[in-house]
Amino acid sequence: QVQLVESGGGLVQAGGSLRLSCVASGSIFSVNTMGWYRQAPGKQRELVAVISSSGSTNYADSVKGRFTISRDNAKNTVYLQMNSLKPEDTFVYYCRLVLNTVRGPSIYWGQGTQVTVSS
């Protein structure tokens, strides 16, 4: 079993910053990618940022230059530093973990953390 616990969401004014954290625990032997996605009610979940085991990153165009993803492999933790937040960044943010297994990649999701940016 693998568990993901997110923290760091909340309410912030436009222009402010938040730092999300996601800690993975359980049967974790080989981590592929870790990442953050976000979702609005009734909408599809969308990529925010991902980071590979080697540290390469990929960002959605809407957050480039404002958000930074990082990971601590020793702690199985991924972070999302969000700066210059805008009201349109208001979503539920989900942590995603991809593990390498003998049966192929296994995907796990966190429970989500609400980020609300007021204007």
Side-chain angles (χ1 to χ4, degrees):
Q1 291 288 352
V2 174
Q3 297 83 37
L4 301 177
V5 178
E6 298 136 336
S7 61
L11 173 64
V12 65
Q13 287 189 329
S17 298
L18 285 173
R19 189 192 194 210
L20 305 183
S21 299
C22 173
V23 181
S25 61
S27 302
I28 299 170
F29 300 104
S30 178
V31 176
N32 189 327
T33 61
M34 301 185 78
W36 291 94
Y37 289 69
R38 63 190 188 184
Q39 187 173 24
K43 299 292 181 64
Q44 282 194 328
R45 198 167 292 185
E46 63 182 39
L47 169 72
V48 179
V50 293
I51 184 167
S52 72
S53 56
S54 63
S56 62
T57 58
N58 188 37
Y59 295 91
D61 288 342
S62 59
V63 306
K64 283 180 181 177
R66 301 188 297 122
F67 291 11
T68 302
I69 189 170
S70 60
R71 62 191 282 177
D72 185 331
N73 291 331
K75 297 181 179 179
N76 289 325
T77 301
V78 63
Y79 305 96
L80 185 68
Q81 178 66 44
M82 304 185 294
N83 298 328
S84 302
L85 282 161
K86 305 175 181 180
E88 51 264 42
D89 294 317
T90 296
F91 289 92
V92 177
Y93 284 72
Y94 294 90
C95 174
R96 179 179 182 259
L97 169 68
V98 180
L99 296 180
N100 298 314
T101 75
V102 293
R103 294 184 297 274
S106 289
I107 299 173
Y108 299 88
W109 292 93
Q111 80 284 357
T113 184
Q114 177 70 47
V115 171
T116 302
V117 184
S118 63
S119 57

